[in-house]
Amino acid sequence: MAEIEQIFRQNRAWASDRTDKDPEFFLRLSRQQTPKYLWIGCSDSRVPANEIVGMAPGELFVHRNIANVVVHTDFNCLSVLQYAVEVLKVEHVVVCGHYCCGGVQAALGHSECGLVDNWLRHIKDVYAMHRQELEGLDEAERTARLCELNVKAQVQNLARTKIVQHAWERGQKLSLHGWIYDIRDGLIRDLGVRMDDRSLIPEIYHFAIASEETGVPA
Ligand SMILES: [Zn+2]
């Protein structure tokens, strides 16, 4: 129990430190949250979202899962995305992966780990799409590159959702970003896959929008 009690002691010290620096901090936060960013990251304990971007409570809406995957049948992730975009009106959605990702490493292997194997199938699919490039690399490079390609694929998956496409259709300011964090030096790198509209989404994934004469109701 000592370990658990320690957590509560740390919490009291943190809350007291916060209040000393800004007596209104918790009162202000209790009234509302107005984050500008939705962060979709890995559950890995070494990648704490707020901490690595130096943001305080209230500044970042966060969704984390193993290997930062965005799946169009995952109602958890989609609920977070919809709430962030339509209610909180975040202006940026960031998928931030990281090098040395255990989920990506497991997806490259063939061991059975339980339910998570179904989840990691999505990363195997990314591998299959880029097999030729990946098989030309050595093992370390291949893992690192798959971490990057996985982030890029998840940004595409975000753009293919109705939630994001409808936001763009309404003229809502919303940018998607793909970043990668390096556990070895603490730095984040932008993978240069920013999307601000539908222009980079393959047409088959476009939903009909009211301004287009498609004959299909929006
Ligand atoms: Zn990870």
Side-chain angles (χ1 to χ4, degrees):
M1 278 303 284
E3 283 175 7
I4 300 297
E5 282 162 16
Q6 175 66 17
I7 292 174
F8 283 92
R9 268 198 300 279
Q10 285 168 202
N11 168 252
R12 284 193 294 273
W14 173 79
S16 146
D17 185 52
R18 274 276 170 193
T19 310
D20 287 348
K21 285 178 183 147
D22 178 359
E24 301 289 307
F25 181 75
F26 291 109
L27 184 64
R28 210 168 46 243
L29 277 186
S30 68
R31 292 191 181 124
Q32 67 174 113
Q33 59 166 340
T34 53
K36 271 191 181 175
Y37 307 90
L38 165 61
W39 174 280
I40 299 176
C42 184
S43 300
D44 193 304
S45 62
R46 299 165 297 177
V47 195
N50 284 65
E51 199 170 333
I52 64 175
V53 288
M55 285 193 186
E59 294 185 304
L60 201 60
F61 202 59
V62 174
H63 176 76
R64 292 169 70 181
N65 61 45
I66 292 174
N68 41 270
V69 178
V70 177
V71 183
H72 66 281
T73 51
D74 175 11
F75 290 121
N76 185 352
C77 183
L78 292 180
S79 301
V80 170
L81 177 66
Q82 186 172 43
Y83 189 78
V85 170
E86 296 179 9
V87 180
L88 297 174
K89 302 222 177 331
V90 297
E91 293 175 16
H92 303 273
V93 181
V94 175
V95 177
C96 188
H98 67 102
Y99 294 118
C100 310
C101 181
V104 171
Q105 283 163 351
L108 280 165
H110 302 280
S111 307
E112 290 189 24
C113 302
L115 278 177
V116 74
D117 297 333
N118 300 287
W119 188 251
L120 298 179
R121 235 299 298 279
H122 299 292
I123 302 173
K124 287 183 185 284
D125 292 343
V126 177
Y127 181 97
M129 277 190 289
H130 300 276
R131 191 173 63 85
Q132 212 165 6
E133 176 193 347
L134 290 164
E135 290 184 358
L137 303 172
D138 70 31
E139 198 181 328
E141 289 171 338
R142 187 180 306 134
T143 307
R145 183 66 180 143
L146 187 55
C147 290
E148 295 172 356
L149 292 170
N150 179 47
V151 169
K152 292 181 180 188
Q154 305 318 323
V155 172
Q156 274 287 335
N157 285 344
L158 273 176
R160 292 171 190 182
T161 62
K162 277 189 193 175
I163 298 162
V164 167
Q165 291 189 34
H166 284 334
W168 284 334
E169 179 194 347
R170 290 191 298 272
Q172 189 174 333
K173 191 176 158 200
L174 182 67
S175 302
L176 311 180
H177 308 263
W179 298 350
I180 194 144
Y181 173 75
D182 196 333
I183 282 174
R184 294 160 298 190
D185 61 15
L187 297 176
I188 291 172
R189 193 156 64 83
D190 189 338
L191 290 171
V193 289
R194 178 176 173 149
M195 294 173 83
D196 300 286
D197 56 43
R198 303 200 302 175
S199 59
L200 297 173
I201 312 172
E203 202 179 337
I204 188 68
Y205 297 103
H206 287 197
F207 289 101
I209 60 176
S211 58
E212 288 176 348
E213 289 185 25
T214 57
V216 180

